[in-house]
């Protein structure tokens, strides 16, 4: 009897002490508003990580595992941190009592043991711990966030992700970026002024047919000679050939070397310029004698270059039966 009554007193004392200890939910609300770290964010360490994430949870916890120390060189961690701060403060502004969602950060410098226990070897990692008071056990498992390093407004993306997994809507209140706005206005005015001032000098060039023709010709030569192929396939410039020489023409049609395309580009350019000279320059020559010589000279250039082009083609494709004098290779 005595023992039983002692036990009863003991258990009532125990339940009293449990009742007096504030529910962890209220501790977490206080931590979110504590002013340590950004508003609406709990700074975790190895000790209080379990308080936040252990069951039972009648709230959602969004935890960012990060490594802000310069030593770790985690660029994404540092890029993402302000976005996460904004996420927490936006929620806290509208929900000072947190209303069932907590945002927390565990930095590697104060959470090594937790990182090890969870076998996390990369950062940042973000997990959402759903409430354990509703739904099935499978629904209580933490959910991992997929970072997209190209997200400019990452806070909005995460807010959308959190909203889709809770019954609440997280809205981001991004402060207006005055510096960016002013920079943009100054930039626009500056560009407009510069263009207006420079226009009288640039206009002749902009309207010059020869300039555009030259630019187009360079582009055409660059791309018809296979510059893009080299760029994409990263082909070698030349390769060591037989007898210690270098081979600069690749055999077969599905291969080419860097030097080969440059040779082809030069051949094409010479062919193009001799055609242009024959069409545009020759008819305007005054003296019939020198005109005759010039026409012959340009035709000779055309013939030799085309002959060379065909011999290169024969090198790539041995079975090709045709050739053009003077180069019969
Ligand atoms: C969680 O439980 C505590 C204690 O019962 C309560 O005060 C708090 O309002 C609950 N939170 C939510 C989001 O239901």
């Amino acid at each position: 009897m005595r023992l039983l009554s002692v036990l009863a007193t003991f258990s009532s004392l125990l339940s009293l002490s449990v009742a007096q200890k504030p529910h962890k939910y209220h501790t977490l609300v206080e931590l979110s508003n504590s002013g340590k770290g950004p508003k609406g964010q709990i700074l975790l360490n190895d000790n209080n990580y379990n308080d936040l994430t252990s069951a039972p949870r009648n709230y959602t916890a969004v935890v960012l595992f990060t490594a802000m120390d310069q030593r770790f060189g985690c660029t994404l961690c540092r890029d993402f941190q302000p976005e996460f701060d904004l996420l927490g403060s936006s929620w806290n502004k509208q929900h000072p009592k947190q209303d069932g969602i907590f945002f927390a950060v565990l930095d590697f410098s104060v959470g090594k043991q937790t990182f090890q226990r969870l076998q996390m070897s990369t950062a940042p990692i973000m997990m959402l711990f759903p409430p354990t008071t509703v739904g099935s056990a499978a629904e209580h498992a933490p959910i991992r966030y997929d970072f997209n390093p190209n997200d400019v407004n990452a806070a909005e993306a995460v807010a959308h992700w959190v909203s889709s997994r809770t019954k609440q809507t997280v809205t981001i209140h991004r402060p207006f970026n005055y510096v960016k706005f002013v920079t943009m206005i100054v930039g626009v005015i500056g560009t407009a002024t510069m263009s207006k001032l420079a226009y009288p000098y640039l206009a002749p060039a902009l309207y010059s047919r020869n300039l555009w023709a030259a630019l187009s010709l360079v582009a055409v030569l660059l791309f018809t000679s296979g510059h893009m192929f080299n760029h994409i396939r990263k082909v070698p410039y030349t390769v060591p050939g037989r007898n210690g020489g270098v081979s600069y023409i690749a055999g077969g049609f599905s291969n080419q070397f860097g030097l080969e395309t440059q040779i082809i580009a030069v051949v094409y350019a010479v062919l193009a310029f001799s055609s242009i000279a024959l069409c545009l320059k020759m008819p305007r020559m005054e003296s019939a004698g020198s005109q005759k010589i010039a026409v012959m000279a340009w035709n000779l250039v055309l013939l030799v270059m085309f002959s060379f082009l065909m011999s290169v083609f024969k090198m790539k494709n041995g079975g090709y039966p045709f050739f053009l004098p003077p180069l019969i290779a």
Side-chain angles (χ1 to χ4, degrees):
M1 261 336 249
R2 231 186 109 92
L3 188 69
L4 259 183
S5 78
V6 166
L7 266 182
T9 329
F10 213 80
S11 69
S12 70
L13 263 177
L14 205 69
S15 65
L16 202 71
S17 75
V18 166
Q20 274 173 348
K21 191 174 174 244
H23 188 272
K24 72 169 171 179
Y25 184 84
H26 303 289
T27 318
L28 292 172
V29 174
E30 267 169 34
L31 279 175
S32 299
N33 289 299
S34 69
K36 279 186 210 139
K39 202 122 181 86
Q41 193 176 107
I42 303 172
L43 295 182
L44 293 175
N45 52 44
D46 277 329
N47 300 324
N48 61 6
Y49 171 80
N50 283 331
D51 295 343
L52 175 70
T53 54
S54 62
R57 300 184 293 264
N58 65 346
Y59 51 81
T60 301
V62 181
V63 181
L64 173 68
F65 300 86
T66 189
M68 290 290 277
D69 197 314
Q70 294 280 347
R71 270 181 303 151
F72 303 118
C74 178
T75 326
L76 188 53
C77 297
R78 284 200 287 278
D79 288 351
F80 184 67
Q81 193 60 49
E83 296 289 304
F84 194 75
D85 298 347
L86 181 62
L87 185 72
S89 62
S90 295
W91 179 254
N92 185 269
K93 196 170 272 172
Q94 293 197 315
H95 307 266
K97 296 254 168 279
Q98 293 301 122
D99 294 345
I101 304 184
F102 293 108
F103 295 94
V105 172
L106 179 66
D107 193 278
F108 182 74
S109 59
V110 292
K112 284 195 189 65
Q113 285 165 18
T114 311
F115 270 75
Q116 270 162 20
R117 192 159 44 79
L118 301 175
Q119 297 184 336
M120 284 179 177
S121 51
T122 60
I125 288 177
M126 189 160 45
M127 303 267 244
L128 183 143
F129 296 79
T132 58
T133 44
V134 288
S136 64
E139 289 168 41
H140 302 161
I143 310 162
R144 191 171 161 162
Y145 180 74
D146 273 325
F147 278 99
N148 178 1
N150 300 326
D151 253 340
V152 187
N153 293 342
E156 278 82 354
V158 178
H160 182 76
W161 179 71
V162 174
S163 305
S164 70
R165 275 159 185 82
T166 58
K167 291 196 180 64
Q168 280 142 304
T169 311
V170 183
T171 344
I172 298 297
H173 301 279
R174 199 172 276 280
F176 189 75
N177 192 338
Y178 287 98
V179 175
K180 200 172 164 188
F181 181 72
V182 170
T183 317
M184 207 183 75
I185 296 283
V186 170
V188 168
I189 294 175
T191 315
T193 317
M194 284 298 286
S195 318
K196 185 136 177 63
L197 288 178
Y199 186 76
Y201 306 101
L202 286 185
L206 279 178
Y207 290 110
S208 149
R209 280 173 65 168
N210 284 340
L211 181 76
W212 286 108
L215 288 178
S216 312
L217 206 60
V218 168
V220 168
L221 289 173
L222 209 59
F223 291 111
T224 50
S225 63
H227 171 74
M228 218 57 211
F229 183 97
N230 294 356
H231 199 74
I232 295 169
R233 302 280 185 91
K234 306 208 166 15
V235 300
Y237 191 66
T238 55
V239 296
R242 266 170 286 169
N243 313 325
V246 289
S247 132
Y248 48 87
I249 306 281
F253 290 136
S254 48
N255 264 322
Q256 65 185 19
F257 298 144
L259 182 57
E260 175 182 340
T261 46
Q262 286 175 2
I263 292 172
I264 295 299
V266 169
V267 171
Y268 282 175
V270 173
L271 286 174
F273 282 118
S274 35
S275 306
I276 291 170
L278 281 169
C279 298
L280 297 179
K281 294 278 185 293
M282 298 307 109
R284 290 189 207 145
M285 285 183 77
E286 310 258 293
S287 136
S290 46
Q291 189 187 42
K292 199 175 281 172
I293 294 167
V295 167
M296 300 246 265
W298 277 119
N299 270 313
L300 191 68
V301 170
L302 207 59
L303 179 73
V304 171
M305 273 298 144
F306 213 90
S307 165
F308 177 66
L309 187 65
M310 284 186 87
S311 76
V312 170
F313 191 75
K314 250 175 117 70
M315 273 184 233
K316 284 189 83 70
N317 177 23
Y320 190 68
F322 304 110
F323 58 86
L324 193 68
L327 300 180
I328 308 168

